[in-house]
Amino acid sequence: MDSPAVPAPLDPQEQPILDRLLRTRDALLLIKQDKSSYIKSRDVLPLYEEVVSEVEKLNAVRKGKDRRLPHNRLDYVLDDCFQLISLLFLTVGRNNEAPAVYSLATTVQRLLDHLEEAGFYSSKDLSSITKTLAHVHETIDRCRNVYSPALLTLLESRLEKCRLLLDKLQSDLAQLSPELVSTHETLVSILRSTSAVNTRSKFSASEVNGLRDQLKKIQDSLKDGNFVGADGQPLPGQDNVKGLLERCWLWTEIVLQREGKIDERFQDQYERLVDIRNQLDRLSVTQAWSLRETDLFGYQRKLDRIDEARVNGNFVDAEGQLADIHAQRTLLYLIRRSYGYIYALLISSEPVSEALLPVYNQLQTLKRCLLEVKESGGVANSRELYPYSMKLNSIDNMRVDGKFYVGNDIPEGQGSVNALLAECYDIVWELRAAVQDDDDRHA
């Protein structure tokens, strides 16, 4: 569970805090692993209070000390606790509360660090992260009088790091001429597509050659070695794009030579990362029906440990020898892709308890079907709406005094489910009204 070679706390006052947090982490892991019943807020809140209490004690112990000291085991266990609490808040449907955004903030920081390290990204990558950080900021502001300042300070510190890094990445992109943006995005896409082909179970040389054909077209568009505008003048910010073009040529060439075979010294790490990537890919397809947000913790931790085991950014073998460029880029691509999947799964988490998700997902499917019927011209007569109305009525009849109960509990997310139910009723009403108007006209 813990990161490689993490030192124990140096200050003896920190040891009892670590011991208590280890017990709390064990309790959080037990809740996460128990699939026999759904998770409830009352299971999570006391453990959240325990962690915050320990953070306040830790802040008192470390007051006035150098904050830049390397992380020790206590810091890693504390991060585990907040990650688990965050994912548990999402699982119970409390997405819009401060503890819930911790996991998202740490994932965004990982993504930004990797984008900076890779040196290539598109405006689309940054626009999604910009929106997410704005949402996290709003959540923290809204919860300022509800949650502990210890948690809010921790979140704001992480948010500030993300904001500074995002500003830097955006300013680098801003130097591109608007006329070069689409070429730049194409090159970013080619680099990523090449890496995707390189990590498939069956390597396709023809696919890589197809990407090289796209590079040839971009290369042929150069005039005297420059990207030029409509006025024939060299475009500003093109050094970045030319460098990216060279990287694409080199990477496609290396990938064609290696044919998807990685240096055997790094085969184990490669297989572990491919397995994580593939599992997250499957989860992203079936997410609405099979994702329990706490399941992401295991993937996060496996990725973090592989990522943090690098030496000065490099992967090293058992003898401490550096990976070659192919192994290095392949492993980094898999790590980044996996963090990208985790980010996408976190931002698409619905503010509904897992206990209500089956009903919520049925209503989502029903709404999609009704919208498709509406967009394809509606129904020929009211009878065609019977199956939809019957399904809606059966879900509506599950409510008691307007609430969905599970046993004696009223799970979180009632507002979201009721709003979706009302939307479905509205669409059925519109479809029925349209048929009646037609009947009146023809009467």
Side-chain angles (χ1 to χ4, degrees), residues 177 179 227-235:
S177 160
E179 291 173 79
F227 290 100
V228 298
D231 59 0
Q233 294 302 307
L235 293 165

Side-chain angles (χ1 to χ4, degrees), residues 18-34:
L18 172 61
D19 293 340
R20 288 191 293 270
L21 282 173
L22 282 168
R23 285 196 292 275
T24 305
R25 185 180 70 178
D26 287 345
L28 288 163
L29 285 168
L30 279 174
I31 296 175
K32 167 192 152 350
Q33 285 154 6
D34 182 7

Side-chain angles (χ1 to χ4, degrees), residues 30-84:
L30 279 174
I31 296 175
K32 167 192 152 350
Q33 285 154 6
D34 182 7
K35 300 289 175 83
S36 62
S37 64
Y38 77 90
I39 297 167
K40 305 166 192 70
S41 289
R42 64 173 178 269
D43 301 329
V44 185
L45 289 171
L47 295 171
Y48 161 76
E49 295 293 348
E50 282 179 27
V51 174
V52 167
S53 168
E54 296 309 320
V55 171
E56 286 164 356
K57 289 172 193 158
L58 180 61
N59 287 345
V61 167
R62 290 182 176 177
K63 194 171 183 181
K65 294 181 182 173
D66 188 351
R67 293 278 175 164
R68 292 164 300 174
L69 288 170
H71 278 202
N72 62 38
R73 188 166 179 234
L74 172 53
D75 296 289
Y76 281 95
V77 173
L78 184 59
D79 183 52
D80 282 347
C81 289
F82 273 124
Q83 289 280 9
L84 282 162

Side-chain angles (χ1 to χ4, degrees), residues 136-299:
V136 171
H137 212 293
E138 282 168 24
T139 303
I140 293 171
D141 281 345
R142 198 176 53 253
C143 297
R144 203 162 288 287
N145 299 322
V146 182
Y147 286 98
S148 161
L151 168 70
L152 298 176
T153 303
L154 200 64
L155 284 168
E156 283 172 334
S157 162
R158 190 141 291 185
L159 210 57
E160 180 62 11
K161 284 178 190 165
C162 290
R163 193 188 59 75
L164 290 171
L165 196 42
L166 181 61
D167 287 349
K168 179 183 178 300
L169 298 179
Q170 284 172 330
S171 68
D172 289 348
L173 270 190
Q175 292 167 23
L176 278 182
S177 160
E179 291 173 79
L180 279 176
V181 169
S182 67
T183 303
H184 180 267
E185 288 188 352
T186 301
L187 291 171
V188 168
S189 173
I190 288 171
L191 267 177
R192 288 177 179 165
S193 299
T194 306
S195 295
V197 176
N198 179 48
T199 54
R200 286 208 197 110
S201 53
K202 284 191 178 171
F203 180 75
S204 168
S206 63
E207 215 171 320
V208 180
N209 282 319
L211 294 168
R212 283 173 73 86
D213 290 341
Q214 288 184 52
L215 292 177
K216 181 82 169 59
K217 283 181 191 165
I218 293 172
Q219 187 88 46
D220 290 346
S221 73
L222 294 168
K223 301 275 175 10
D224 298 326
N226 288 312
F227 290 100
V228 298
D231 59 0
Q233 294 302 307
L235 293 165
Q238 66 176 284
D239 287 348
N240 184 341
V241 182
K242 281 193 210 166
L244 209 48
L245 180 58
E246 283 175 29
R247 280 180 77 170
C248 286
W249 279 121
L250 176 63
W251 185 227
T252 52
E253 194 179 314
I254 291 170
V255 166
L256 281 171
Q257 284 170 0
R258 300 299 288 264
E259 297 182 326
K261 295 182 183 71
I262 198 161
D263 183 334
E264 61 184 25
R265 294 176 300 151
F266 298 93
Q267 188 68 32
D268 284 351
Q269 283 157 301
Y270 174 76
E271 285 174 6
R272 283 208 307 277
L273 285 169
V274 166
D275 186 46
I276 292 169
R277 190 268 316 264
N278 291 348
Q279 286 184 51
L280 287 167
D281 182 34
R282 281 194 291 276
L283 259 184
S284 69
V285 174
T286 61
Q287 170 208 352
W289 301 95
S290 61
L291 175 68
R292 193 187 212 189
E293 283 84 355
T294 48
D295 294 342
L296 294 175
F297 179 76
Y299 298 115

Side-chain angles (χ1 to χ4, degrees), residues 104-121:
L104 190 51
T106 57
T107 304
V108 167
Q109 192 176 340
R110 290 267 179 190
L111 279 178
L112 288 169
D113 285 339
H114 275 287
L115 289 177
E116 183 188 36
E117 181 186 27
F120 67 91
Y121 44 88

